[in-house]
Amino acid sequence: MKQQQQQQQQQTVLLGVTGSIAAYKACELLRLLQKAGLRVKVALTEHAQELVGAATFRALSGEPVATSLFDSPGNPINHISLAEEASVLVIAPCTANVLNKLASGVADDLLTTTALATTAPLVLAPAMNARMLRHPRTQASLELLEAAGATLVGPGEGYLACGEEDSGRMSSPEDVCAATLEVLARTQSLAGKRVLITAGPTREYLDPVRFISSPSSGKTGFALAREAAARGASVVLVSGPTDLTSPPGVEYVPVVTARQMLEAASEHFDTCDLAIFSAAVADFRPAEQASQKLKKGASLPSVVPDNDPATVSPAGASLASVASGTASASYSLTLTANPDILATLAARRAATGAKRPYLVGFAAETEDLLSNAREKLKAKGADLIVANDVSDPALGFASSHNQLSFVSKEGSSQTAVLSKEHLARHILDTLTPELC
Ligand code: CTP
């Protein structure tokens, strides 16, 4: 009974060991995790058992060891109960085979079915031959798994089993243990907090098939939502159209226009502890939206032909002349301002005198990054502006990497160039002390 209560309070590490010669390092890792006060259960792949036997891990962990999908009645371990029990799934060493299977969602043994079934965070310590590591398929899998929220530890460089000195060596058990403890500490850091995130672009339709928008992919906002949910927060993600899938456990509110985004964000704002405005909202929308597709040459309400005397006005030109290129068209579009979602909601918070939600705005700039960010901090009433330079095509908008500057009343700081997933962690690490 006492042991059962102790186990309930203790967090459980499910340690997956795969068929790399580095499997022996998993024994040391297990010991380190136990020393940190964690309960460790081990799952071995078939190939791992050729290198270190289940009896070793059973003796070290004091727990039954999972080796097969088809467990015996006397040893009732199954992938679903393992998946539910795990506070974190650590796969160390993780071979190229298992890594690529995880990235593709293949679930053909006990460890990979458990990985697919668990909602626990994933820590991977890859170990493989350098050429297998450099293979584009493996590199793509590493990128994909990291984008899905996995924490990668290593691999490092050094002497490999194949006799080469190269990259692909499993990180030390100390490094994998430290990363696991960090992940576990993060999992509850926003428990009980409610977070609102706006993401993606908005679309402002001119007619049923044309719109004003921006190239925002939504990646930063979605990564923030995933990370906040992984830290125990209850998350509402209000997003304009993107190609992304909402992270599991997140309340997803899809919108199209800036006005819809304001309405949805407004509904959740007052109950939140933190609101992050990462959406690239279109500042303007066409003054009028045509109900039918605008035709070249037709005189339509919101599209006004420019009165350039040197050109033939398309309003008066026939479709045939436009199609044959004899009409040189130049149109003006009448725009009207969209509401500023961040400024509107910040003003609402100010009017009530409330200190919450803590407000984080983004600033996409092509010049004078810091002074523009300071300006926005003040003008919009935010507590923090996360600024980025969008003039570099390798960073920002549609890229998977970015470099951010944090600007608050207290001063500013800058991150290195990092993946958007790393940046999401960095942003939430920065914000957590403000909230707790
Ligand atoms: N924002 C908003 N509603 C808008 C415009 C912007 O909520 N209509 C938010 C963005 O989500 C971001 C911040 O305000 O958090 C700054 O957005 P940005 O596009 O950098 O600046 P703008 O306010 O649009 O100003 P400008 O275009 O002049 O740089």
Side-chain angles (χ1 to χ4, degrees):
M1 182 67 185
K2 201 170 156 212
Q3 195 192 359
Q4 216 176 10
Q5 275 173 350
Q6 226 172 13
Q7 284 182 351
Q8 272 166 8
Q9 286 157 6
Q10 246 180 346
Q11 288 182 298
T12 299
V13 178
L14 176 60
L15 175 58
V17 183
T18 71
S20 153
I21 191 68
Y24 72 93
K25 292 189 188 174
C27 301
E28 179 59 16
L29 173 60
L30 188 156
R31 279 283 188 231
L32 291 171
L33 293 166
Q34 282 177 328
K35 270 192 205 154
L38 298 161
R39 174 183 179 220
V40 185
K41 289 192 83 164
V42 177
L44 296 177
T45 62
E46 199 186 326
H47 290 165
Q49 292 169 65
E50 299 288 328
L51 297 154
V52 186
T56 306
F57 288 107
R58 201 176 305 121
L60 290 173
S61 67
E63 300 275 352
V65 171
T67 54
S68 159
L69 268 174
F70 309 101
D71 42 331
S72 64
N75 182 20
I77 300 175
N78 72 58
H79 59 287
I80 299 300
S81 63
L82 279 175
E84 282 169 358
E85 226 177 333
S87 315
V88 60
L89 170 57
V90 180
I91 305 186
C94 183
T95 58
N97 176 43
V98 171
L99 186 99
N100 285 316
K101 283 205 285 192
L102 293 174
S104 321
V106 173
D108 62 354
D109 63 3
L110 183 108
L111 181 60
T112 48
T113 43
T114 306
L116 203 58
T118 193
T119 54
L122 185 59
V123 176
L124 300 173
M128 64 195 72
N129 166 273
R131 281 185 294 278
M132 291 169 88
L133 176 64
R134 282 194 281 268
H135 193 286
R137 182 63 258 167
T138 309
Q139 288 299 313
S141 293
L142 286 167
E143 212 170 290
L144 204 139
L145 287 164
E146 195 175 33
T151 298
L152 302 175
V153 194
E157 297 209 352
Y159 186 75
L160 303 177
C162 50
E164 296 169 5
E165 283 268 341
D166 210 331
S167 49
R169 191 176 158 84
M170 180 180 146
S171 290
S172 71
E174 287 76 12
D175 285 354
V176 183
C177 178
T180 307
L181 296 180
E182 217 173 279
V183 167
L184 281 173
R186 270 206 309 261
T187 54
Q188 289 311 308
S189 61
L190 291 180
K193 303 289 175 198
R194 198 165 154 75
V195 178
L196 167 69
I197 297 171
T198 70
T202 63
R203 283 183 186 174
E204 312 297 334
Y205 279 86
L206 165 64
D207 70 11
V209 295
R210 301 182 181 96
F211 52 80
I212 296 173
S213 192
S214 80
S216 166
S217 63
K219 278 182 192 159
T220 299
F222 278 62
L224 281 164
R226 178 181 295 107
E227 187 61 28
R231 292 172 186 225
S234 117
V235 182
V236 182
L237 174 63
V238 179
S239 176
T242 72
D243 291 336
L244 306 173
T245 312
S246 172
V250 165
E251 184 179 342
Y252 181 54
V253 187
V255 295
V256 177
T257 67
R259 285 178 296 172
Q260 289 169 356
M261 187 172 273
L262 173 60
E263 198 184 323
S266 201
E267 198 179 306
H268 296 279
F269 184 75
D270 296 325
T271 56
C272 284
D273 301 282
L274 168 65
I276 305 179
F277 298 84
S278 69
V281 185
D283 291 322
F284 309 100
R285 65 178 184 276
E288 287 177 58
Q289 189 185 330
S291 59
Q292 303 299 329
K293 187 182 168 197
L294 296 173
K295 292 290 184 191
K296 285 197 287 283
S299 176
L300 287 151
S302 62
V303 179
V304 184
D306 267 354
N307 288 329
D308 180 353
T311 62
V312 180
S313 164
S318 70
L319 271 182
S321 67
V322 174
S324 67
T326 52
S328 75
S330 160
Y331 291 92
S332 298
L333 183 61
T334 308
L335 300 172
T336 189
N338 263 332
D340 188 306
I341 301 166
L342 167 55
T344 305
L345 295 176
R348 187 156 111 193
R349 184 188 72 168
T352 63
K355 290 233 168 344
R356 287 285 177 266
Y358 186 86
L359 299 178
V360 181
F362 274 67
E365 304 296 340
T366 53
E367 56 181 352
D368 302 329
L369 185 74
L370 291 181
S371 60
N372 279 328
R374 274 186 217 108
E375 191 67 32
K376 278 180 187 166
L377 182 79
K378 228 160 106 189
K380 302 207 178 212
D383 299 306
L384 179 77
I385 290 286
V386 180
N388 70 308
D389 184 343
V390 287
S391 63
D392 183 345
L395 298 174
F397 279 138
S399 152
S400 57
H401 283 67
N402 212 341
Q403 180 170 35
L404 302 176
S405 295
F406 294 88
V407 178
S408 70
K409 266 192 246 152
E410 284 74 44
S412 65
S413 61
Q414 193 181 40
T415 68
V417 174
L418 295 169
S419 72
K420 289 187 174 172
E421 288 71 34
H422 271 125
L423 288 169
R425 277 183 207 159
H426 198 97
I427 291 170
L428 290 176
D429 285 345
T430 308
L431 295 175
T432 302
E434 295 290 343
L435 301 174
C436 301

